[in-house]
Amino acid sequence: AVPIDTSTYSAINVTLRYRDDDLDSGDGLYYWNDSSGNWDQIWDLDTTTEVTWLTASNQSTDPQYLHKNFNIRFTTVLAGGGGAENLWLDNINISYNPDTQAPHSYNVSTNNTNPLPTANVSHNINWTDDVNLDYAILEINATGADCNTAANLSNLIISGTVAWSNISWATAQRCEGKQIGWRQYANDSSNIWNVTDLQTYTVQNVN
């Protein structure tokens, strides 16, 4: 079967109708593949109700099933001759819940709130997302005589549902005694953005 890209969704839903005739446990199994390439058993299609159409329905928000090559498969072991065991499948439906949540930021901090001129300052954010983070950007906005700078300084690739974005910037000598404003942006695999509030620190005046 052709794989499905589920990487930009927050949940996946699979429903199907099935009917068995005299299957034993393990004779009819239903699997999803995860992002590591493993096939995970979701359902044993053996039932105590024979020759009756039943519905299996599964939903998951587990990130391991939200990837670019999602697929499902079935395995059967039909024993006996003359149609002694049978399995029928019908109305297999895969649907998705779109990702609508932006990344969230936590533990906003720097490693130095009053750095010396030319010191490297690490700007740290703990980002979380319900699907998959993509990358973060550090923006610096420093003002004052001879210290004007406003730039997106660095793009840092981040991934997973939880990731630290620790991006360093060296304070300029000319920014001595000046206030530095900074914030980080982050997006996820659905290209939904969020940004932290503006943070500030002051470079020491050593003269």
Side-chain angles (χ1 to χ4, degrees):
V2 177
I4 298 170
D5 184 354
T6 59
S7 62
T8 60
Y9 296 95
S10 61
I12 184 167
N13 314 282
V14 180
T15 60
L16 59 94
R17 286 175 53 76
Y18 69 101
R19 177 182 138 187
D20 83 276
D21 180 9
D22 204 31
L23 288 188
D24 299 316
S25 178
D27 284 352
L29 302 178
Y30 157 43
Y31 299 84
W32 292 6
N33 72 325
D34 63 30
S35 55
S36 297
N38 303 309
W39 287 97
D40 303 330
Q41 181 183 324
I42 302 299
W43 204 280
D44 187 337
L45 298 173
D46 169 51
T47 74
T48 57
T49 304
E50 305 286 349
V51 198
T52 299
W53 283 100
L54 302 173
T55 299
S57 180
N58 302 93
Q59 181 187 74
S60 180
T61 58
D62 191 331
Q64 69 177 328
Y65 301 121
L66 305 174
H67 60 93
K68 293 184 180 296
N69 294 292
F70 177 80
N71 217 327
I72 65 175
R73 75 177 182 186
F74 304 88
T75 62
T76 58
V77 179
L78 303 180
E85 292 185 345
N86 298 280
L87 175 65
W88 296 268
L89 300 171
D90 195 14
N91 294 337
I92 301 172
N93 181 63
I94 303 176
S95 61
Y96 325 94
N97 296 356
D99 178 19
T100 59
Q101 294 187 33
H104 294 279
S105 60
Y106 300 91
N107 302 318
V108 180
S109 66
T110 62
N111 67 334
N112 193 336
T113 58
N114 191 213
L116 290 166
T118 73
N120 276 309
V121 178
S122 180
H123 306 77
N124 311 314
I125 308 285
N126 187 15
W127 290 103
T128 68
D129 190 63
D130 61 325
V131 177
N132 190 43
L133 295 161
D134 192 8
Y135 64 92
I137 298 173
L138 171 65
E139 180 184 75
I140 294 289
N141 190 334
T143 59
D146 300 323
C147 184
N148 293 327
T149 180
N152 294 337
L153 295 173
S154 179
N155 291 356
L156 177 68
I157 295 173
I158 52 179
S159 61
T161 57
V162 180
W164 279 94
S165 172
N166 304 323
I167 305 177
S168 293
W169 176 69
T171 59
Q173 181 71 51
R174 66 181 184 275
C175 292
E176 179 180 351
K178 303 298 190 299
Q179 187 177 76
I180 307 297
W182 70 278
R183 56 190 170 189
Q184 280 195 29
Y185 298 78
N187 79 338
D188 60 18
S189 58
S190 301
N191 202 33
I192 302 175
W193 288 88
N194 203 355
V195 59
T196 65
D197 293 334
L198 183 68
Q199 313 292 316
T200 62
Y201 56 86
T202 301
V203 179
Q204 291 186 39
N205 191 340
V206 296
N207 293 322

